[in-house]
Structure formats: C-alpha cells, structure tokens
Amino acid sequence: MNDKAKKSAPLGSSKSGADTAFAKDQSAGSPSKTCPADKAKSLTVEWSTEEVYCADPASLLGKATGIAGSVTGSGSVKVHDRSVATITGPGQSTFKLDWKACGVDFAPLPGGGKMPDKLPAVGGLSADGMSAKTPKGLALKRLPDKDPEAVSFNCSSPKSVNGTNDYSWSAAFKLGVKNATIQVKQTLQIKKAWLGKWVSFDKAKDKIDQTWGFVKKSGANWKYWDTTGPAWKALPRNVSSYTLQNITFVKDGTSFKSRDDGGAQTWPEGFAEPKDYESMKKKWHKNIQDTWARKFKIKHKDCAGAGLCAWDVDIDVDWSAGAGDKLVYAIWAADWERSNASDWYLSETRLGVAGHETGHLLGAYDEYTGGAIHPGTKKIEDNTIMGQNLTGALPRHLEGFRDEVEKKIKSWIGRSWKLEVQKR
C-alpha cells in the first residue's frame, strides 16, 4: 500500500482481511537515516516487543552514532499515518522511549464487516537532526471476537445487613465479544403459574376439624375448602383474623400441583388461563430493553479507544418456552402481589418490575429499605431501577457483570485488566 492509499484508509479498513492488511501496512520504510553532512552519524529504531494489548508497555529502542552529548529524542506512534502518541526521552548512543498502548480506535468497517484483529503501529524517532522509523510495525491487538459463553455467579444479602431476611440468588447470562462490543445474551425461560392461598385454623375459635385449608376470595367474601364436603364454604371468621399464606401452583395435565414441594398439594379446582399473559410479556420485554439495552459501555480504567481499550455493552434479553439462562414464572394472582427475581406477578401494575428483576439476574442488588441490598455498599436510593421508584439503570448496577468480564478477559488473553462501566 503506497503512502497516498494509507492516508485515505480508515483505521481497521481492509479488503482482504485483518492479517493481510496488517502485513501490508506494517513496514515503516527505511529503518534509519543518516545526516548527509556527516556520514559518521546514524540513527536506527525498533520496537521492544512485537505485539501488545490495551495498556501493555512497549518501548522505542534507538541506537545512534556520532552524537556528541546527551540530547532529547522525540518519538511518535502512528497508525495508518494518524498520530496516536508522542513521547520523549534523553539519550546519546541509545534511546528508550516508553509508551503504553492506548487511545487507538478500531474503526468499524463499511457495511458492518469484521474488524481486523490487529493494527500496525509505526514508531518514529528523531534526535540531533536525524530521524528513523521502525522497520516493522508493532501489532496492536484488540480483544478477539468470542461467541457468547455461559456465565453465572451467586449474590447474597444477609439479614444482618438488610434487617429483614437472608436473600440469595444467582445471576446468569451469556457473555461474548463482537468487534468493539461486549455482547450480553440472556434468555429467560418463562412458565405460567397460579397463586393460591391457605390458612391455619384454630379448632376452638373456628369450630372445624381441619388444621388448615385452601382459601380464595369470592367477590367481597372469603371461602375455605372444606375437605369433608368437599366444597367451598364461608370462612368461620373475618379473613383479617388469619395469616394468609401463599402457595404457587403449576399445571400438571388437567390438575394444578404445588410447585415448591414436589407437587404434594393439589388445588381443588381448575384455574383459568390468564388473559393478559401475552400482552404482559410484551410490556415486560419492552421495559427490559428500554432499561438495559445499549445504555452502557465498559472500558479499561486507565485507557480509551474503541475496540482496543473500550467497548459498547449490548444487553439483549428475550423469552423462551424451552431452556434458558434463568427460569421465571409469570404468575396469575387474584390481587396485587410483590414480584421477585423468579416470580413475576401478572397482577403487578408497575412495569418497571421487569427491568428491576432482570437487574437481579444481571447481578444487581436492591436499593430500597428491607430489600436485598449490597452487603458492601449498603446503598439505598429511591430513583433508580433497583430502588423504590423503579426508574433508570446506573453503571454501579453492572458491577457484578463487570467482574465477570474481567475474569473472561483473563481467561481469553491472560490480562488482568481493571474495568469500569460508564453510561454511553
């Protein structure tokens, strides 16, 4: 590629693929220049290493003859003739100008093609009227493309921290890389369920032989299932005299079996199909995408440069009737019920609950009093998706995700990067 072509080419452009483009552009020309007036003077320069990732050190190593005393060497780093860094350092017969790889963008290709895996960085050195370029370009390597891989980690908030309960759950999703984007794919397996209620009886006060019974609301009144009838009968006392307990049912053939005890209980009648199931799924999905999709980026703490040191975060969540990263239940209930990470109630009027519970499945903690708050920060804030008002998502809500990205990068390229999440 001639100089004219190189000036017009965007970073990362290639007709024949990343490695071919790199091979064509890595040559820097003559490795040394001599002073025409003094044949005894000469200067050469080369890179200290052949390839680097973000934040890796690389030095321009110069050798000179004929320089009478210590002078300041001026170095440059260019990618496709675009300056990305200038560095200086003293020297006479030798020079060592240190650089940390950063600030280089892997520009997207026209039409959204695959980015090159590496870019050539040409180093230049000037000292005492002489100049030289590295004979071989330094390979700036980006995080390689990776198909999404399964990630899961446990989260917990003990009662000693939140003052209410011992909470624990697991975050789960798939994590990959494509060009300058960290991809997060989360498939939620969704199943229908129905909520029933039961109460314990006081034999003396209720005047019945049952120790407990299923109950349901019928209009303004409450009834219990009399197993001796069997039939629904009016509760002996006002419902406020009892402690209502929840029990979740799933459909098993034509019956409805209790979900959490292996089907030990059977609801005494059928449940109707929830009419708003499909419409709520659509509303939940929109809220999830509005809350999390394409809202954030993640970068090396000490660097910048799309593809080399910084990446957009693309979070994509969708439903599945089959297997998924996490199982959630869409539960019919006669009245409003509070949702949690696995149980999403169709009677829940706050659509932000979908984004909130998805936050838990990405590793975020509650930020309201009595919730599963972060055991370290103990953060309480109403106006966030994890707070009482279910508003916007913030970078701190993806700290667990960030930690998993750091682990993946360590396994992929052997670098222990410290990353931070930012809003786009």
Side-chain angles (χ1 to χ4, degrees), residues 5-29:
K6 286 164 67 178
K7 290 180 180 178
S8 63
L11 294 191
S13 64
S14 169
K15 293 183 179 179
S16 55
D19 291 338
T20 303
F22 181 86
K24 287 182 178 179
D25 286 346
Q26 68 174 334
S27 175

Side-chain angles (χ1 to χ4, degrees), residues 19-200:
D19 291 338
T20 303
F22 181 86
K24 287 182 178 179
D25 286 346
Q26 68 174 334
S27 175
S30 174
S32 65
K33 295 286 183 66
T34 59
C35 178
D38 188 349
K39 300 296 184 183
K41 294 179 69 175
S42 66
L43 179 66
T44 62
V45 66
E46 64 182 4
W47 286 108
S48 60
T49 187
E50 293 185 354
E51 59 183 36
V52 291
Y53 285 102
C54 167
D56 284 351
S59 300
L60 285 173
L61 304 179
K63 292 183 179 180
T65 60
I67 298 179
S70 180
V71 298
T72 297
S74 297
S76 65
V77 181
K78 293 184 177 182
V79 177
H80 293 313
D81 278 346
R82 297 183 187 181
S83 178
V84 296
T86 56
I87 45 182
T88 59
Q92 183 178 357
S93 60
T94 60
F95 295 84
K96 184 174 182 291
L97 280 59
D98 297 326
W99 178 58
K100 181 175 71 172
C102 65
V104 178
D105 286 335
F106 277 71
L109 296 178
K114 184 182 184 298
M115 286 183 176
D117 297 323
K118 53 190 175 183
L119 292 175
V122 175
L125 176 63
S126 298
D128 200 32
M130 298 181 290
S131 63
K133 291 183 179 180
T134 54
K136 183 179 180 181
L138 172 68
L140 303 177
K141 300 182 69 175
R142 70 175 179 91
L143 198 60
D145 286 355
K146 293 287 183 179
D147 291 333
E149 300 176 2
V151 167
S152 64
F153 55 96
N154 295 324
C155 306
S156 63
S157 175
K159 183 177 181 179
S160 60
V161 170
N162 60 61
T164 306
N165 288 297
D166 290 321
Y167 297 106
S168 63
W169 70 98
S170 61
F173 46 87
K174 291 182 175 67
L175 187 63
V177 182
K178 184 175 181 181
N179 292 334
T181 300
I182 301 292
Q183 296 180 316
V184 182
K185 304 284 187 181
Q186 188 179 67
T187 302
L188 299 180
Q189 181 184 9
I190 188 166
K191 291 185 177 182
K192 296 176 189 175
W194 291 260
L195 187 70
K197 303 275 186 179
W198 65 275
V199 298
S200 295

